[in-house]
């Protein structure tokens, strides 16, 4: 079992990972410890507008103003990921996870928290791993583990995030960004 935890880092799907949710996905790891791991897929916007599920939040979310598929677990629940500027104490209704990233309580009225946030994105569901499952997937070569930048979680171009994150790597991973969607077209 690995003692390396990935809280605050990104999991970037290798080109071999398939499926609707994880193909070319970029996952921000919200929590990882001896009990398992949880994160949200940052680059899978849905067509549903936020107000269709959470009235009042549409005007405060970061563009694009839609829900995102956070993962295959608990897709009927919503999770609000936020960035809080500076080192000030967390605002009412926000739980800081690491750095400037936190979770907002979506039951708190939007005017209470809106002015305190620099970014907000709402996810349907999350990605989760049981004890040892993520470590095994990383060892198998399903995920690249790389450093996150705050802007990754709130990019206005989520469809290009997979390539963008890979391109900024300072090693051979940067070349993976050019891997074709269909390897037979190579």
């Amino acid at each position: 079992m690995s003692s390396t935890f990935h809280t605050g880092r990104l999991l970037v799907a290798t080109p071999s990972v398939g499926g609707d949710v994880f193909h070319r996905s970029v996952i921000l790891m919200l929590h990882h410890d001896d009990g398992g791991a949880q994160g949200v897929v940052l680059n899978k916007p849905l067509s549903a507008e936020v107000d269709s599920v959470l009235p009042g939040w549409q005007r405060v979310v970061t563009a694009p103003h839609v829900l995102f598929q956070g993962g295959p677990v608990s897709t009927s629940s919503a999770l609000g990921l936020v960035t809080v500027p500076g080192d000030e104490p967390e605002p009412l209704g926000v739980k800081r996870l690491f750095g400037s990233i936190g979770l907002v309580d979506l039951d708190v009225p939007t005017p209470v928290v809106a002015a305190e946030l620099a970014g907000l994105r709402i996810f349907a569901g999350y990605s989760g791993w049981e004890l040892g499952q993520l470590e095994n997937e990383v060892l198998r070569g399903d995920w690249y583990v790389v450093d996150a930048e705050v802007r990754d979680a709130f990019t206005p171009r989520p469809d290009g995030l997979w390539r963008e994150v890979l391109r900024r790597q300072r090693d051979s991973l940067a070349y993976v960004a050019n891997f074709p969607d269909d390897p037979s077209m190579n």
Side-chain angles (χ1 to χ4, degrees):
M1 198 64 49
S2 169
S3 62
T4 302
F5 299 122
H6 304 304
T7 299
R9 299 193 78 204
L10 296 176
L11 297 182
V12 180
T14 63
S16 63
V17 173
D20 292 337
V21 177
F22 294 124
H23 177 70
R24 300 220 169 179
S25 64
V26 177
I27 299 174
L28 177 62
M29 296 304 300
L30 304 179
H31 177 81
H32 186 200
D33 65 14
D34 287 325
Q38 298 84 35
V40 289
V41 178
L42 299 177
N43 60 332
K44 302 291 178 172
L46 299 169
S47 60
E49 291 192 350
V50 173
D51 271 348
S52 69
V53 177
L54 292 164
W57 288 94
Q58 181 83 28
R59 64 181 181 76
V60 295
V61 296
T62 304
H65 302 283
V66 295
L67 290 171
F68 279 68
Q69 182 172 1
V73 181
S74 295
T75 56
S76 61
S77 65
L79 183 145
L81 189 69
V82 297
T83 183
V84 179
D87 293 328
E88 298 299 315
E90 53 197 27
L92 180 67
V94 172
K95 179 183 187 242
R96 197 180 298 261
L97 299 176
F98 48 84
S100 64
I101 298 291
L103 294 175
V104 65
D105 180 349
L106 296 170
D107 291 327
V108 172
T110 55
V112 172
V113 294
E116 304 287 336
L117 308 177
L120 167 65
R121 186 142 288 157
I122 298 179
F123 297 87
Y126 65 93
S127 300
W129 293 264
E130 295 178 352
L131 174 64
Q133 183 182 3
L134 177 59
E135 292 82 353
N136 289 333
E137 290 180 12
V138 170
L139 286 173
R140 189 172 62 211
D142 292 346
W143 304 104
Y144 304 119
V145 181
V146 301
D147 290 335
E149 295 180 4
V150 172
R151 65 187 173 135
D152 295 333
F154 306 99
T155 179
R157 295 178 314 283
D159 295 336
L161 187 61
W162 186 83
R163 281 192 169 90
E164 180 183 328
V165 168
L166 288 170
R167 277 190 193 119
R168 73 176 184 234
Q169 302 310 305
R170 294 189 171 129
D171 55 21
S172 59
L173 274 184
Y175 296 113
V176 177
N178 298 319
F179 198 86
D181 284 332
D182 182 356
S184 67
M185 300 302 288
N186 195 7

